Amino acid sequence: MVTTRLHFADDARRRIVRGATQVARLVEVTLGPAARTVLIERAPAGPLVGSSGYDVALHVELVCPVEQIGAQAMRNVAWEVSDRWGDGTATVVCLAAALLQSLDRAETRGCERRALAEALDAEIDEVVAALTRSATPVMEDDDLRRVIETAAGGPDLSPLLFEAALRAGPQGYVDVVPAAESDALEVVQGLAFDGGWLSPSFAASGADRIVLENTYVVAFDGAVQSIDEIGPMLDVFVRMDQPLLFVATSFSEDAKERLGSLVRRTGAKIAAMRAPGEGDWRRFHLGDIAAATGATLFGDEGGYSLRTVRPELIGRAKKVELTAKESRFYGGAGGLPELDFRKAQIRGDIARSRYLSLDRERHEKRLALFFSGIVTLSLGGRTEPERALRIGSAQRAVQAIRAARQSGSIAGGGLALRDAGRALGNGSITGRAFEAPFRALSVNGATDATVSPRDPCNLVIDVVHRAAATAASLVSTNVAITHPRRLAN
C-alpha cells in the first residue's frame, strides 16, 4: 500500500531550504574559468564529468524526500536556463538558493507573506534596472573576446570561437559539432540545405555534382504525381535551352523516372529536388527557397497552378549546386521586401519555439542562411570526455555571443550582480543574496584567472527573474507531501 507523509510549516520549509542549499554548494564548484568538475557515477555506464550546474543538479538524489523537493526545484530552474541559453545554470542555482535563504530568514523574523512578496518584486525590479543601465553594446573586438573567454571558461578555445564569431557576423549562426580528427572551421556560403538531387540521372555520367548557372527556379508546395502536370512548362525550357531547377514537396516514382528520362533524351539543363527536411520543416525550407530566389510558391494553398506558369512567377539564382546529399543556392533574385517579410516570419517562428530548444535552434539556422550563413566549428579531444567538455564550453560561448550581441554585455564574474545587490541598501531583504555568485567565483579563483570578464545582459536578467520566481514559490510552502521511496544501494 502506498502511503503519504505530510510535513508542515517551518519544518517543511527548512528542509526544502536545506536541500536547495546542498545542491547550490555542489554546483558552485563548476562556476568560472578556474572551476572544477564533478565526477558523477552512472553505473553500469562510465562516470560522467559534470561541468555545468544542470549536469550536476540532474544527478542529485537526497535521502530526505522533503530536501529532495528543494533539490528538484534547483534542477528545474537549471534546466529552464540551460534550455533557453545553454549557459548560466550554475549561476541561477547559486542565486536561487541564496534568495531562498534570504526570504526564509525574513519570514522567520516575522515578515508578513504579502509584504515579503511585494518587497521581493520591488527589489528584483531595481536589480534588473541596474543591470540594464550598466550594459554596454558589444562593438569592439576586445568586448567580444572578453564575452567569449568568460563563457568558454578560459583562453583555450577563445581564438577559434572569436574567428567563428567574426566570420558568422552578427546575424550568422555558429554550429559546434564533434570533429573526426583535429579542430576545424568551415564557412558555408549561400543558402545551404541537407538534401540534394532527386535522382543521379540528372547529372552527367559519373559526375558527383550538378551546377546550374543563371538558373530559373520553380517551387511547388505539393506532390508531383505525373510528369503530365508539368509537361508544358518543361517543354518551354527544353526549347529555350535554359537551365531550370524544379523543387517540390515530393515526387512519385513514375514522375521521377520520366523526368530523368527527359533529361537524358534531350540533354536539357533541368534538375529536380525534393524540398529539404521532413514534415513541417519541408514546407518551411520550401518557402525559404522561394523567398530567396524570388519565386512564387505554386500549389493549392497559394492559388497558383503549375499549368499556368508565367515568367514573373518563376524565381532566379545566379548558381545552384546539387549533390546527392546537399544543395546550395547562390545569388537568389528575391527582392528586399520579400526577404524582409520572410525574415520576420522566421523571427516569429523563433519566438513561438521559445520553449522548444531544438526547434528554436533550427529556426535560428534558417534565419542565419539569409544573412552571413552558417559557420561550423568542429572540435576534437584526446579522449571522449575531453571532447565533450570542449564542445560544451564552446556551445555555451556561442550562446553568450548571440545574447551579448542582442542586449550588450555587463561586468562578469558576478560583479554586476554584486553591485546591483549592494545598491539596494543595507535594509533590503535580498541584497546580500546577489553577492553569492561573486563569492563562489572568488573561492574558485576566477578573479585571478580572468581579467575584466563580461556576461550577456539579457542572460543575467533572465537568471535573476527565474531564480527569484523559484525562491518565491518555495518560501511560500506551508505543507509538503512526500511518498516513502527506496533508494538504490
Side-chain angles (χ1 to χ4, degrees), residues 275-361:
E278 298 294 336
D280 290 339
W281 292 100
R282 191 175 297 170
R283 302 189 72 181
F284 285 138
H285 293 315
L286 183 62
D288 295 342
I289 290 171
T293 60
T296 294
L297 199 57
F298 291 90
D300 293 338
E301 193 169 309
Y304 292 95
S305 168
L306 287 173
R307 297 183 183 277
T308 58
V309 172
R310 300 193 302 274
E312 64 270 20
L313 303 179
I314 300 176
R316 295 290 298 270
K318 290 184 178 179
K319 183 169 73 172
V320 173
E321 293 183 358
L322 300 174
T323 67
K325 297 181 179 180
E326 186 181 62
S327 54
R328 295 192 184 187
F329 295 73
Y330 302 88
L336 281 178
E338 292 79 11
L339 290 176
D340 287 342
F341 180 72
R342 190 63 182 178
K343 291 172 189 175
Q345 285 182 317
I346 297 173
R347 289 190 181 99
D349 293 333
I350 293 171
R352 284 188 291 274
S353 302
R354 60 186 180 275
Y355 300 119
L356 300 169
S357 58
L358 182 59
D359 285 358
R360 186 174 65 245
E361 288 176 8

Side-chain angles (χ1 to χ4, degrees), residues 61 148 182 211 238 275 407:
E61 287 287 339
I148 290 171
S182 57
V211 179
V238 170
S407 64

Side-chain angles (χ1 to χ4, degrees), residues 476-487:
S476 63
T477 301
N478 274 339
V479 180
I481 302 174
T482 63
H483 304 281
R485 65 192 191 282
R486 180 176 297 172
L487 296 177

